[in-house]
Amino acid sequence: MHQDSERNGAADGDANGKDGHSRRLTDEEFERYSRQMIVPGMGKEGQLRLINSRILIIGAGGLGCPAAQYIAGAGVGTIGLVDGDVVDKSNLHRQVGHATSRLGMKKVDSLIEHLRGLNPLPTYVPHAFHLDAQNAADIVARYDVVVDCTDNPATRYLISDVCVLLRKPLVSAASVQKSGQLIVLNCPPTPQGVVDGTPRAAPCYRCCFKKPPPPGSMVSCGEAGIMGPVVGMMGVAQAGEAIKIIASALHIPPDPSSSVSPETNLGQPALLIYSYDLASGVGPYTFRALMMAGRRRTCFACGEGSTLTLEGIRAGSPNYEQFCGLATSINQTRLPPEDRITASAYAAAAARGELPPHILLDTREREHFSFGSVDGAVNVPFGKLLVAAAAIKRDGAPADTILPTTKPSLPDDAPVFVVCRRGLDSQEVVEKLRELGVDNGGKRKIMDIIGGMKAWRDEVDPTFPFI
């Protein structure tokens, strides 16, 4: 009789208040969640908080898939998923909540189908569109905790700002190539403008990253690549933090009458950084934790005197794309028409022998270049070229040393054509070469191939292995 009451009885204490409705665990719930309920710190109280909670996962890709699986497995009652993309074959090596049989399906629908097979008990809410300034507040307001699994800085700043204004804890992560990072923000949630306290109010994304990275340094998984286990570990860690926030009642303001004091569960905010090296042989993964300060008094979003509002966000203030310096179009033009040539025009001129001896500079990463290139192209990766340009400016070395050595050697006025992956980096390289004086005062032509190697595939060679 005592066992039945323990199994099906309502949880004691704080599960019967602000952080959970009084209810019984069903036999199905008891059997499904029993192994985690016996973990110290969880118990029936923590499980009931999970069952009565609502978690929003923004992004159903490499981070969102593993995060969603463990959040669903843990028994969170309502799980919202936001993503406007469809499943592509190139997603499957890392986005483990999708399947070959669901190619072309909306990602939120594909992932929900997978999650229902794992645990049919939660309520799954699809939001099959991208989060933006107009819809963010209406969606986030419905949930207790937000898990940011997006892959661009403009959306990260938007999500953080909305979470500050709506007082929602935020678990944010990012991953690219062989590294990832994770941080818990605005937890426990503190009103906008409140900085002091014991402990100091938790920071928001802007507190930790006051300025976005330079636009030229921001690359997507499609361009830079991503290892599945890396993004998977970050997504699993996000799930762990979200579960901890709910189970420990850190998503609600502290209640003096409660037996749980959220502050006692908090340490100094930390940015977790994970990386590994494919060339290092067998060895441990590398984890580092950088201790972060609390809320900044002068923070634009959460600091004292902040004027940020939900109404302003909906009206386009701030402009997140502009703040992050993101191009509004992949074909954004920085150079005048006379300094650019289409892929088809370059190929036709080369086939007719109309091009003078020249240098064709391919600024893609070595791994991209290894899959295929235009005949005669020389690979100088974009990042290395920028480092070399900075060194030339600093040391006063001859500008021409930035160009690769050619055999046979070419005249000083030999034209330089620059090609990249999609036509953005190449324009910056043309500007940088001119800034260094490689154009010999206008005597040497330096041109960008419009649209990069994607345009080469689309206009010249449809069999080219563009990645």
Side-chain angles (χ1 to χ4, degrees):
M1 192 68 189
H2 176 70
Q3 289 180 340
D4 287 340
S5 120
E6 284 293 309
R7 172 181 291 198
N8 294 319
D12 299 327
D14 290 302
N16 293 310
K18 291 174 63 178
D19 57 341
H21 303 292
S22 178
R23 55 153 292 182
R24 293 176 178 273
L25 285 172
T26 67
D27 289 345
E28 167 71 14
E29 290 168 341
F30 185 88
E31 185 174 2
R32 183 177 286 271
Y33 307 131
S34 59
R35 295 300 185 271
Q36 72 184 25
M37 286 193 291
I38 60 176
V39 174
M42 177 62 76
K44 292 182 296 182
E45 294 86 352
Q47 188 61 55
L48 281 174
R49 291 191 191 105
L50 291 175
I51 290 171
N52 288 296
S53 69
R54 301 171 64 88
I55 291 182
L56 178 66
I57 301 171
I58 306 175
L63 292 167
C65 283
Q69 288 180 106
Y70 281 94
I71 287 171
V76 169
T78 300
I79 301 171
L81 295 164
V82 181
D83 200 308
D85 290 337
V86 299
V87 180
D88 182 81
K89 192 174 292 185
S90 65
N91 301 147
L92 298 181
H93 83 284
R94 67 193 186 280
Q95 299 182 15
V96 293
H98 306 303
T100 303
S101 62
R102 298 195 292 276
L103 290 176
M105 183 184 291
K106 284 281 189 180
K107 282 188 177 181
V108 292
D109 296 330
S110 170
L111 185 51
I112 287 174
E113 182 175 323
H114 174 76
L115 296 176
R116 283 192 175 125
L118 174 67
N119 188 355
L121 300 185
T123 298
Y124 299 102
V125 182
H127 304 282
F129 43 79
H130 294 296
L131 199 80
D132 59 33
Q134 282 69 49
N135 62 32
D138 292 337
I139 297 172
V140 170
R142 309 175 201 175
Y143 297 88
D144 301 313
V145 174
V146 177
V147 181
D148 180 0
C149 300
T150 60
D151 61 359
N152 74 84
T155 305
R156 293 190 192 114
Y157 282 102
L158 167 64
I159 292 169
S160 175
D161 288 354
V162 170
C163 285
V164 166
L165 294 170
L166 293 175
R167 298 181 65 183
K168 307 290 184 181
L170 172 61
V171 183
S172 179
S175 187
V176 69
Q177 291 190 337
K178 300 173 289 183
S179 63
Q181 65 182 39
L182 176 143
I183 189 168
V184 177
L185 303 163
N186 201 41
C187 183
T190 307
Q192 181 187 30
V194 175
V195 175
D196 295 319
T198 305
R200 189 183 180 101
C204 73
Y205 193 82
R206 289 183 186 270
C207 292
C208 301
F209 307 99
K210 183 178 179 181
K211 295 181 179 180
S217 69
M218 296 182 289
V219 290
S220 67
C221 293
E223 186 164 1
I226 180 67
M227 293 298 296
V230 176
V231 70
M233 290 189 75
M234 291 296 98
V236 170
Q238 283 184 283
E241 293 298 324
I243 291 167
K244 178 174 68 176
I245 290 169
I246 295 293
S248 300
L250 294 173
H251 60 299
I252 57 175
D255 182 351
S257 66
S258 172
S259 61
V260 177
S261 177
E263 286 92 342
T264 63
N265 295 323
L266 290 178
Q268 185 177 355
L271 175 69
L272 178 67
I273 299 175
Y274 163 75
S275 64
Y276 78 170
D277 189 348
L278 286 171
S280 66
V282 178
Y285 303 123
T286 300
F287 285 97
R288 290 183 295 149
L290 302 181
M291 306 314 292
M292 309 297 286
R295 188 172 273 192
R296 286 194 302 111
R297 293 187 184 279
T298 58
C299 177
F300 171 80
C302 68
E304 295 174 344
S306 171
T307 58
L308 180 70
T309 65
L310 294 176
E311 293 74 17
I313 290 174
R314 291 190 186 97
S317 178
N319 184 319
Y320 293 94
E321 298 285 326
Q322 187 178 67
F323 173 67
C324 294
L326 300 180
T328 57
S329 170
I330 196 64
N331 295 316
Q332 184 188 34
T333 300
R334 302 172 56 163
L335 301 174
E338 60 269 21
D339 294 333
R340 313 191 76 199
I341 185 172
T342 65
S344 56
Y346 175 91
R352 293 193 298 264
E354 296 174 355
L355 291 179
H358 63 278
I359 296 173
L360 176 56
L361 206 58
D362 190 324
T363 65
R364 294 176 297 157
E365 292 299 314
R366 179 174 60 86
E367 290 75 16
H368 282 275
F369 187 80
S370 69
F371 286 104
S373 60
V374 179
D375 288 344
V378 181
N379 184 219
V380 181
F382 179 70
K384 291 183 178 180
L385 191 144
L386 293 185
V387 170
I392 289 172
K393 291 185 69 174
R394 182 186 65 243
D395 302 334
D400 280 353
T401 58
I402 199 171
L403 296 176
T405 303
T406 59
K407 294 182 179 180
S409 59
L410 297 176
D412 292 343
D413 62 350
V416 178
F417 293 90
V418 186
V419 66
C420 65
R421 185 169 174 265
R422 285 180 174 266
L424 291 179
D425 290 350
S426 55
Q427 296 183 69
E428 186 172 345
V429 169
V430 170
E431 292 176 331
K432 186 65 67 175
L433 293 178
R434 286 186 179 149
E435 179 185 322
L436 293 174
V438 176
D439 64 341
N440 297 331
K443 297 177 182 178
R444 165 183 264 171
K445 194 71 173 174
I446 304 178
M447 300 188 72
D448 151 64
I449 296 181
I450 299 171
M453 296 310 299
K454 183 179 185 301
W456 187 270
R457 183 197 63 183
D458 295 343
E459 300 173 16
V460 179
D461 181 5
T463 66
F464 183 82
F466 176 78
I467 298 177

